[in-house]
Amino acid sequence: MAFWVAHPIVIVMLVFLSNKQNLRVFACDFFQGNWVAQDPSYPLYDPTTCPFIEREFNCQKNGRPDLSYLRYSWHPHGCNLARFDGGDFLERFKGKTIMFVGDSLSRNQWQSLTCLLSAAVPSAKYTVERLDDVSTFTFSDFGVKVMLDRNVFLVDVVMEKIGRVLKLDSIQSGKHWKGIDMLIFNTWHWWNRRGPSQPLFFQYIAISESLHCRWDYIQVGNQTYKDMDRMAAFQKALTTWAGWVDSNIDPARTMVFFQGISPSHYNGTDWNEPQKKSCLGQQQPLLGSTYPGGLPPAVAVLKGVLSKIKKPVTLLDITNLSLLRKDGHPSIYGLGGRTGMDCSHWCLSGVPDTWNQILYNIVLNH
């Protein structure tokens, strides 16, 4: 029997070509770049005609007078970001289910994706249903479901005799996530909120989201605490979630993403405008690539947990690009109007469309 023996030079060339091919796929960091103003091809859909945008994200309908925030496009350094193609996305996911799992920032991204897809196929039939905390948007012509599981902490909040208990090592709600074709997780928004230190917006919406966001005690194993270091609690909860992923996800069936830490803009000192106490009146992003105030500490905690997970999870590392968009929040043009300053969520159309555009580009390169 004859054997083919490769010459060492040939082997080196094959490895080089293989590495070069990998570089073409993975070398572009979609999350490092800058915002470009007045792109005539933006926004990616007309927010006045998308029927799925809830009031808190519908800045134009709520009276925001400036429109420049709609026309910024994200340009990664050293490569091109393919424009979101809703028709192609639906074809790729025909017969499949996508689920966002997280707090209202997940809802922000979920509504963005439904608008992007419906704008691509405006005549397609769809249904929208909600059962308990799970909302399902179905494109029946494609058999595509885009779901949202409203889950603030990922780990469980259980009502017991002593009150609501946040259980950092329990994740029974994971039963909703099994068998999904694409999962996009998110949590952080509520981990560091407490009492009167909350921005006015959070005090305003606490009434409507109290069942999901409030807890009276924290439990770890058999130990129950009135409170604990929130960053440590966040890390413990993420570790529990990571264990769930390792135990339950089949990478051959399911793509898993984690929406990175979505930032807020309540302190102008962070973007070199110390006289500003909120995002109110901001009409343009920072046009460089670096945010003066640096990254939130939660980013390091999240990346630390993801570095130890065994199953493949892709981080949608949207923190820095979103930090640059101090102009992208509803401010007084959100749910609370002038009684609630929202510098945490994002107008639609807006920044979450770019999160979904990057998600689409990662799918193209998968």
Side-chain angles (χ1 to χ4, degrees):
M1 182 179 295
F3 291 90
W4 177 77
V5 180
H7 191 281
I9 296 178
V10 176
I11 294 176
V12 170
M13 286 299 295
L14 288 173
V15 172
F16 173 75
L17 290 172
S18 175
N19 288 343
K20 193 172 182 180
Q21 184 180 25
N22 287 340
L23 285 173
R24 281 201 297 268
V25 175
F26 299 111
C28 178
D29 185 348
F30 294 130
F31 306 103
Q32 297 300 317
N34 62 281
W35 292 95
V36 174
Q38 297 303 313
D39 189 323
S41 66
Y42 279 73
L44 295 173
Y45 57 87
D46 184 349
T48 65
T49 60
C50 179
F52 318 117
I53 304 176
E54 293 184 38
R55 179 186 166 194
E56 64 189 281
F57 310 139
N58 202 331
C59 300
Q60 275 190 268
K61 190 173 182 179
N62 293 332
R64 180 166 176 169
D66 62 299
L67 300 178
S68 59
Y69 72 95
L70 294 170
R71 299 202 175 277
Y72 284 94
S73 58
W74 177 250
H75 289 239
H77 295 319
C79 63
N80 294 319
L81 194 61
R83 186 177 176 83
F84 187 93
D85 185 333
D88 178 67
F89 189 99
L90 287 167
E91 287 292 339
R92 289 174 182 270
F93 285 91
K94 183 172 285 188
K96 297 185 182 299
T97 301
I98 300 160
M99 178 182 278
F100 293 90
V101 183
D103 53 36
S104 50
L105 274 308
S106 289
R107 184 154 49 92
N108 224 171
Q109 188 177 2
W110 175 69
Q111 289 188 13
S112 163
L113 184 58
T114 60
C115 288
L116 287 165
L117 294 176
S118 62
V121 285
S123 61
K125 297 177 182 177
Y126 67 86
T127 60
V128 184
E129 301 173 307
R130 180 174 177 182
L131 180 62
D132 297 326
D133 290 325
V134 178
S135 300
T136 304
F137 188 103
T138 304
F139 285 93
S140 52
D141 293 344
F142 297 87
V144 175
K145 292 183 178 180
V146 185
M147 305 177 72
L148 170 69
D149 180 7
R150 303 184 189 202
N151 190 311
V152 172
F153 300 108
L154 298 185
V155 292
D156 299 327
V157 179
V158 178
M159 177 60 77
E160 298 187 348
K161 290 182 179 180
I162 59 174
R164 294 184 180 90
V165 181
L166 176 62
K167 302 197 172 205
L168 299 184
D169 51 6
S170 174
I171 200 159
Q172 297 299 318
S173 54
K175 62 181 181 288
H176 299 301
W177 314 334
K178 294 182 178 180
I180 304 295
D181 298 287
M182 177 190 283
L183 288 163
I184 306 102
F185 291 97
N186 156 62
T187 185
W188 170 245
H189 196 45
W190 284 94
W191 280 94
N192 213 31
R193 304 294 171 186
R194 63 185 79 208
S197 66
Q198 297 177 3
L200 182 59
F201 173 74
F202 285 96
Q203 297 177 47
Y204 179 86
I205 67 172
I207 299 173
S208 62
E209 294 196 354
S210 60
L211 292 177
H212 302 88
C213 306
R214 283 176 49 199
W215 50 264
D216 304 302
Y217 295 91
I218 296 178
Q219 187 177 87
V220 185
N222 295 323
Q223 297 295 314
T224 301
Y225 307 92
K226 185 61 180 174
D227 203 351
M228 64 182 294
D229 181 274
R230 299 299 180 84
M231 204 66 75
F234 177 58
Q235 183 178 37
K236 175 61 180 174
L238 285 179
T239 302
T240 299
W241 164 82
W244 183 92
V245 170
D246 281 338
S247 299
N248 292 278
I249 291 297
D250 176 7
R253 165 72 191 271
T254 303
M255 297 178 67
V256 181
F257 293 84
F258 200 102
Q259 181 204 88
I261 306 300
S262 178
S264 301
H265 290 92
Y266 288 102
N267 185 355
T269 301
D270 291 339
W271 63 86
N272 292 334
E273 291 188 74
Q275 74 279 13
K276 302 293 184 182
K277 304 304 179 185
S278 72
C279 61
L280 180 63
Q282 296 295 321
Q283 295 188 15
Q284 66 179 21
L286 294 168
L287 298 180
S289 301
T290 304
Y291 189 67
L295 298 175
V299 174
V301 174
L302 172 59
K303 290 184 177 180
V305 172
L306 291 179
S307 70
K308 298 175 183 177
I309 203 166
K310 297 180 178 65
K311 297 291 177 66
V313 176
T314 301
L315 174 62
L316 287 175
D317 196 6
I318 50 87
T319 307
N320 187 65
L321 69 87
S322 304
L323 278 168
L324 300 173
R325 288 302 304 272
K326 56 188 174 65
D327 63 313
H329 300 288
S331 67
I332 60 173
Y333 305 106
L335 182 64
R338 293 187 177 274
T339 64
M341 179 63 63
D342 185 358
C343 297
S344 295
H345 297 97
W346 305 93
C347 296
L348 294 178
S349 298
V351 173
D353 302 332
T354 296
W355 302 350
N356 284 319
Q357 185 181 9
I358 293 174
L359 176 69
Y360 173 65
N361 275 260
I362 293 173
V363 168
L364 291 179
N365 287 284
H366 183 66

